[in-house]
């Protein structure tokens, strides 16, 4: 191993440049992979959440918040296949849409807790305190990513849209939308949402009648996609979406996003791999005589191959560790900087870390294989004559 | 076969110089043992027993050198070797060379450039294959040995010293000397010990951790010689091993070769230098790919 290290640093500048080539690739892979990891977990959480229910809103999009009349609830409940309906209000935590958000923005959610507790399959657990109940006026539960932003502790008061609320629970990390959410009672969320509506809408309704969504729990054996279609047919002026709509709107878009991210990282890695091939080929052509002598005194294929593959693998390992380290620092720095705004962009998971470093080593070995094979095939007699 | 000669050293040590290849090896080892015992006594300043031992050693070496071995005791044989090269026209780099190398030989191969000396050395050293003819190592036709086994044979049975840039520059003298042992699969502790002994034997016991750029040309060749004999090979091949050295260093290296040969190590040296050839007991002159003549001294 000592010999391999010494050989690596015979040409320090060349080796370091190659290591940096890999470093850039692995850095890009780590950062972009962490971003993709975060998105994937958000999407997988969303997929899980939407899997068994129908979401009703006032517009075609799942995430636009057009007002709906609470009285629609009875019409929806009357549709065959519906078990229960929870009225929901969803709005942004910030009054102004002032930050570019990665994933769903920090938000306020109000719903009918008793119904949700009974029918919701996406269970939330609490790191402190307890779940919200329908009569918990003036109280909120805070998602894990917003704890720092709101400086929330159970028993303390936090300011949400200018109002003081008592924190009664902190949710455990779900790695998806609830992490970025403040949950309050439906009536209090309605008041906030009502205040946001244009005067013309407010003049024709009351806060207690305005919501912007319904969560429909489906009877056992009923296909939520078919039920969504049925609701659309039977209940006027609402848009019902089943799990397929989420897949169509979000999951497929993130697939393209993932492909772009990994494509960029892959290109960087191919460049890194080519620079390993170049370095190893140069290195072998400089050491032809040495290889000849080693073969003459008994070096077998595995000795020569092992020597050069170890060198290439070490270049990969150093590049990988450096790239991963820089990536981890960048990801942590950005996450720390954006955490106060409740916007966590990256998730550097163990699998991304292990994969990044292992991939760098494997890339080194693959890139080093051709030059090493070339070294093995060197003709001893010709090599020894070389000066 | 009965013992032909018995040398009584003291109550404990005896040297048997017997006929036969196997016994020749035994005798070689016994001589090496004597040499070490002599070095030990000299180092301790026990001059009288050391002198007595030296006398015994000389006698043993003389007996060993005089021992007549039959054909089957040849360590390496080249039989009507031919090597044809196509360079526009067909050139016979070797054209029917036959040569026996016996245990304990010290052979110089001389001749003008292009006479086929190095080609012959490469054939005998299993670095190249003849177009026709056979190389027999301890009676076994090398052609019948699978190519993948040749590196192992080279690391165990053969040693090589080349003209220059002979050492791996990133390795120390000790690590260079350890290389053939590493390729033979000897464990680290043992190979360190063996390489150290070989370097002490060539007078570089105080240069173990020096790299080639910290050693003179002569010292580098000494390391290369230590590396070539570290595995106690049957034969050491030297290709112009003093080619890059001045006359003093040449004499220095050749006296080392002579010393090792006296201990039983077989050497085959390709050289242009008559001073080098003078040290050898057999001088083979080559011309146009053939052996022109052989002089025994």
């Amino acid at each position: 191993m000592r010999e391999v290290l010494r050989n690596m640093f015979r040409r320090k500048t060349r080796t370091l440049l190659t290591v940096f080539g890999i470093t850039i690739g692995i850095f890009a892979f780590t950062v972009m992979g962490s971003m993709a990891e975060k998105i994937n977990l958000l999407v997988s959480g969303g997929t899980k959440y939407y899997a068994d229910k129908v979401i009703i809103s006032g517009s075609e999009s799942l995430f636009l918040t057009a007002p709906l009349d609470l009285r629609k609830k009875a019409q929806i409940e009357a549709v065959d296949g519906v078990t229960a309906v929870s009225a929901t209000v969803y709005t942004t935590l910030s009054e102004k849409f002032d930050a570019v958000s990665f994933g769903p923005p920090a938000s306020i959610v109000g719903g009918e807790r008793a119904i949700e507790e009974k029918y919701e399959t996406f269970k939330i657990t609490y790191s402190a305190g307890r779940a919200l109940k329908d009569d918990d006026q003036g109280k909120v539960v805070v998602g894990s990513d917003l704890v720092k932003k709101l400086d929330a502790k159970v028993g303390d008061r936090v300011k949400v849209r200018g109002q003081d609320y008592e924190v009664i629970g902190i949710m455990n990390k779900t790695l998806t939308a609830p992490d970025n959410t403040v949950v309050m009672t439906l009536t209090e969320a309605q008041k906030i949402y009502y205040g946001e509506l244009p005067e013309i809408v407010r003049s024709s309704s009351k806060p207690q009648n305005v919501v912007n969504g319904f969560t429909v729990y489906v009877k056992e054996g009923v296909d939520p996609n078919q039920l969504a279609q049925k609701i659309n047919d039977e209940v006027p002026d609402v848009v019902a979406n089943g799990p397929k709509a989420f897949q169509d709107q979000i999951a497929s878009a993130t697939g393209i996003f993932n492909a772009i991210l990994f494509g960029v990282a892959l290109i960087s890695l191919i460049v890194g791999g080519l620079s390993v091939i170049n370095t190893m080929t140069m290195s072998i052509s400089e050491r032809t005589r040495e290889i000849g002598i080693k073969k003459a005194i008994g070096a077998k294929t595995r000795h020569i191959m092992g020597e050069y593959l170890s060198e290439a693998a070490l270049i990969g390992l150093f590049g990988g560790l450096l790239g991963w380290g820089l990536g981890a620092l960048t990801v942590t720095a950005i996450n720390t900087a954006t955490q106060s705004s409740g916007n966590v962009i990256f998730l550097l998971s163990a699998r991304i870390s292990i994969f990044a470093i292992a991939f760098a080593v494997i890339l080194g070995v693959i890139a080093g294989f051709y030059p090493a094979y070339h070294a093995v095939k060197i003709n001893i007699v010709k090599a020894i004559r070389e000066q | 076969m009965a013992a032909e000669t018995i040398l009584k050293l003291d109550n404990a040590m005896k040297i048997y110089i017997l006929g036969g290849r196997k016994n020749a090896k035994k005798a070689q080892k016994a001589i090496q043992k004597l040499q070490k015992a002599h070095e030990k006594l000299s180092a301790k300043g026990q001059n009288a027993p050391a002198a007595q031992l030296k006398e015994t050693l000389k006698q043993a070496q003389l007996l060993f050198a005089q021992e007549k071995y039959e054909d089957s005791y040849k360590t390496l044989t080249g039989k009507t070797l031919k090597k044809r090269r196509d360079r526009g026209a067909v050139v016979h780099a070797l054209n029917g060379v036959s040569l026996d190398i016996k245990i304990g030989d010290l052979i110089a191969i001389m001749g003008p450039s292009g006479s086929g000396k190095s080609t012959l050395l490469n054939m005998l050293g299993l670095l190249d294959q003849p177009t026709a003819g056979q190389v027999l190592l301890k009676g076994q036709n090398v052609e019948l040995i699978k190519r993948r086994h040749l590196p192992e044979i080279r690391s165990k049975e053969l040693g090589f010293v080349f003209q220059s840039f002979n050492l791996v520059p990133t390795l120390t003298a000790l690590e260079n000397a350890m290389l053939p042992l590493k390729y033979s699969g000897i464990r680290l502790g043992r190979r360190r010990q063996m390489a150290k002994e070989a370097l002490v034997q060539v007078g570089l016991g105080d240069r173990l951790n020096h790299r080639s750029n910290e050693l003179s040309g002569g010292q580098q060749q000494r390391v290369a010689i230590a590396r070539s004999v570290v595995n106690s090979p049957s034969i050491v091949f030297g290709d112009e091993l003093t080619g890059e050295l001045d006359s003093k260093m040449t004499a220095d290296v050749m006296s080392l070769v002579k010393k090792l040969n006296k201990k039983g190590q077989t050497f085959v040296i390709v050289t242009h230098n008559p001073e080098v050839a003078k040290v050898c007991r057999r001088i083979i002159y080559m011309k146009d790919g053939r052996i022109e003549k052989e002089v025994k001294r």
Side-chain angles (χ1 to χ4, degrees), chain A residues 345-359:
Chain A
I345 300 172
F346 303 101
L347 177 71
L348 181 57
S349 62
R351 69 173 177 172
I352 285 281
S353 303
I354 292 166
F355 190 78
I357 294 166
F359 190 65

Side-chain angles (χ1 to χ4, degrees), chain A residues 6-7 10 289 300 387, chain B residues 160 164-165 170 175 183:
Chain A
R6 281 186 211 147
N7 280 334
R10 273 189 193 186
R289 185 178 162 88
K300 298 180 185 84
Q387 294 297 320
Chain B
F160 294 91
S164 60
F165 309 109
T170 48
E175 288 164 338
Y183 300 144

